[in-house]
Amino acid sequence: METKKKDIRALTKEQLRQFFVEHGDKAFRGNQVYEWLWQKSAHTFDAMTNVSKETRQMLEDNFVINHIRVDQMQRSSDGTIKNAVRLHDGLVVESVLIPTETRTTACVSSQVGCSLDCRFCATARMKRMRNLNPDEIYDQVVAIDNESRLYFDRPLSNIVFMGMGEPLMNYNNVLKAIEMITSPEGLGMSPRRITVSTSGVPKMIKKMADEEVKFRLAVSLHSAIDEVRTSIMPFNATFPLKDLREALEYWYSKTKNRITYEYVVWKGINDTREAADALVRFCKFAPSKVNLIEYNPIDDGEFQQANADAVEMYQSILESNGITVTVRRSRGKDIDAACGQLANKS
Ligand code: SF4
């Protein structure tokens, strides 16, 4: 009976070193192979040219490298690139490269589908099929870094976990991926250039604070009134704003890092003065930044971007209360790559 080979990138460096010792080789060989797997992103054992043919064959007999494959790449008229990424088991996730004058940002997925059920989000319509492994998250970043060098002549500068899935529902794997992305043995990126965006899982926000993570935190808030938030993000009934706020206060007390809130203003849902005042009250306890994001309707018209007056009203109320605001135009709309649009439609 054929036994299933293990994904070699599930092994830590120490386990890989140990493997070589147990197979009569030097522990150092583990370092060499580890470098090929992560820093050099080798897709095959044959690519490991400083490793002997016999050793490569031995690795082939014992392991697989479950590398992702970019099945389809679409380019938007505004330069945004969306990758449809095929995983080793045939499932597909999406990741997006967002270029600006000075930066290239990768928006990566953390789950196939999503465990949550935000009513305005295309991904929520796919059920959660599984969590992504650390190497599958890492590979999305490498693919976008390569595209950034190829099409924009510069390396990737920032990463946001805002693609498919709720990153804090795949906490361990997301943290392991970030560890490799920031490690000198991986991509060596600064954690300050990485933002984990959550819809707000209080227990996990506290856990991150306790672990003194160095990356940035963003919260998809969209309403600071429980009743409204629950109607658009039903899991808010389980994790109400009081608990979220308490977790964020804890986060700030530990990290002293400013909190970013992602916020869409929708017509007839949260485009009132009362809603804007509630947002100010919610985020005043710590230095905050609010990104007012342009919305991309996903079909039936239930959620519509509010008119410009409502967005301006939010902006002026927030600014007059000393809260930093940016109004974010959406990118990649023509290829369904914009926020909340990722649903494997391509
Ligand atoms: S907005 Fe984010 S957390 Fe909510 S359903 Fe979509 S992918 Fe999941």
Side-chain angles (χ1 to χ4, degrees):
M1 197 179 77
E2 202 190 333
T3 48
K4 218 167 155 244
K5 291 188 221 168
K6 194 175 166 121
D7 179 1
I8 191 166
R9 286 189 296 173
L11 266 55
T12 62
K13 188 173 174 185
E14 211 30 66
Q15 287 168 330
L16 203 51
R17 285 165 56 85
Q18 189 63 29
F19 172 84
F20 281 103
V21 173
E22 282 162 12
H23 285 75
D25 204 333
K26 297 202 173 61
F28 169 73
R29 194 78 56 224
N31 299 15
Q32 275 181 319
V33 171
Y34 194 79
E35 189 178 319
W36 277 108
L37 291 172
W38 293 103
Q39 206 170 53
K40 297 180 183 164
S41 267
H43 288 215
T44 63
F45 294 113
D46 267 346
M48 302 178 180
T49 45
N50 62 353
V51 175
S52 74
K53 219 169 165 202
E54 294 69 36
T55 304
R56 282 186 261 153
Q57 187 56 51
M58 193 259 288
L59 289 171
E60 193 81 55
D61 294 342
N62 285 278
F63 299 107
V64 285
I65 305 175
N66 282 336
H67 219 282
I68 63 157
R69 204 177 67 218
V70 176
D71 255 8
Q72 196 189 12
M73 190 198 90
Q74 288 174 278
R75 291 190 79 181
S76 160
S77 51
D78 67 17
T80 303
I81 294 176
K82 180 170 80 169
N83 291 332
V85 168
R86 191 163 296 276
L87 309 171
H88 70 95
D89 55 4
L91 293 172
V92 176
V93 292
E94 293 177 336
S95 34
V96 183
L97 177 160
I98 307 147
T100 65
E101 291 275 298
T102 50
R103 332 166 142 186
T104 309
T105 301
C107 173
V108 296
S109 294
S110 54
Q111 297 181 308
V112 188
C114 186
S115 347
L116 300 182
D117 49 6
C118 306
R119 287 189 34 231
F120 50 82
C121 170
T123 309
R125 301 186 179 182
M126 304 165 59
K127 65 178 181 15
R128 187 196 80 89
M129 287 174 251
R130 71 172 173 84
N131 287 337
L132 293 190
N133 295 326
D135 52 278
E136 292 169 328
I137 297 169
Y138 183 87
D139 287 354
Q140 292 176 67
V141 174
V142 172
I144 291 182
D145 184 38
N146 290 339
E147 288 167 348
S148 180
R149 289 169 197 269
L150 184 65
Y151 297 109
F152 301 96
D153 220 6
R154 61 188 185 213
L156 176 68
S157 59
N158 296 72
I159 302 171
V160 292
F161 281 78
M162 257 185 227
M164 293 174 159
E166 164 52 61
L168 299 192
M169 293 288 194
N170 184 18
Y171 183 84
N172 289 338
N173 289 352
V174 165
L175 257 72
K176 271 189 211 143
I178 293 177
E179 202 180 300
M180 283 315 299
I181 292 166
T182 53
S183 160
E185 292 183 321
L187 300 178
M189 278 183 76
S190 161
R192 298 269 164 227
R193 294 180 170 273
I194 300 175
T195 302
V196 170
S197 176
T198 175
S199 40
V201 188
K203 193 172 81 183
M204 304 315 286
I205 292 173
K206 285 186 178 167
K207 189 169 157 70
M208 281 195 306
D210 283 335
E211 292 180 3
E212 294 176 11
V213 297
K214 298 281 182 290
F215 50 77
R216 300 190 181 277
L217 177 67
V219 178
S220 290
L221 193 63
H222 307 308
S223 175
I225 300 172
D226 264 320
E227 201 189 341
V228 177
R229 194 165 193 260
T230 302
S231 73
I232 55 177
M233 302 169 89
F235 68 89
N236 186 71
T238 318
F239 308 124
L241 287 163
K242 178 175 73 58
D243 296 358
L244 176 58
R245 160 107 182 223
E246 194 210 316
L248 292 171
E249 282 184 32
Y250 186 74
W251 161 272
Y252 183 70
S253 72
K254 288 271 186 176
T255 65
K256 294 282 175 274
N257 275 338
R258 178 172 81 171
I259 300 160
T260 299
Y261 296 97
E262 311 291 350
Y263 201 100
V264 179
V265 189
W266 287 287
K267 204 177 273 176
I269 293 178
N270 58 356
D271 55 352
T272 59
R273 170 82 203 216
E274 185 201 357
D277 287 339
L279 174 61
V280 169
R281 282 194 302 276
F282 186 87
C283 55
K284 250 192 143 175
F285 68 92
S288 302
K289 178 180 172 211
V290 174
N291 289 332
L292 295 173
I293 305 169
E294 187 187 354
Y295 183 64
N296 307 287
I298 49 176
D299 54 19
D300 46 27
E302 189 191 345
F303 289 90
Q304 292 291 332
Q305 166 76 26
N307 58 37
D309 290 353
V311 177
E312 275 166 30
M313 179 266 295
Y314 263 91
Q315 193 171 3
S316 87
I317 292 174
L318 288 162
E319 277 170 356
S320 62
N321 279 279
I323 298 164
T324 311
V325 195
T326 50
V327 179
R328 285 257 165 99
R329 288 220 37 243
S330 201
R331 306 289 305 271
K333 278 195 264 193
D334 53 337
I335 54 169
D336 286 330
C339 258
Q341 284 190 324
L342 300 184
N344 291 347
K345 269 206 272 177
S346 51

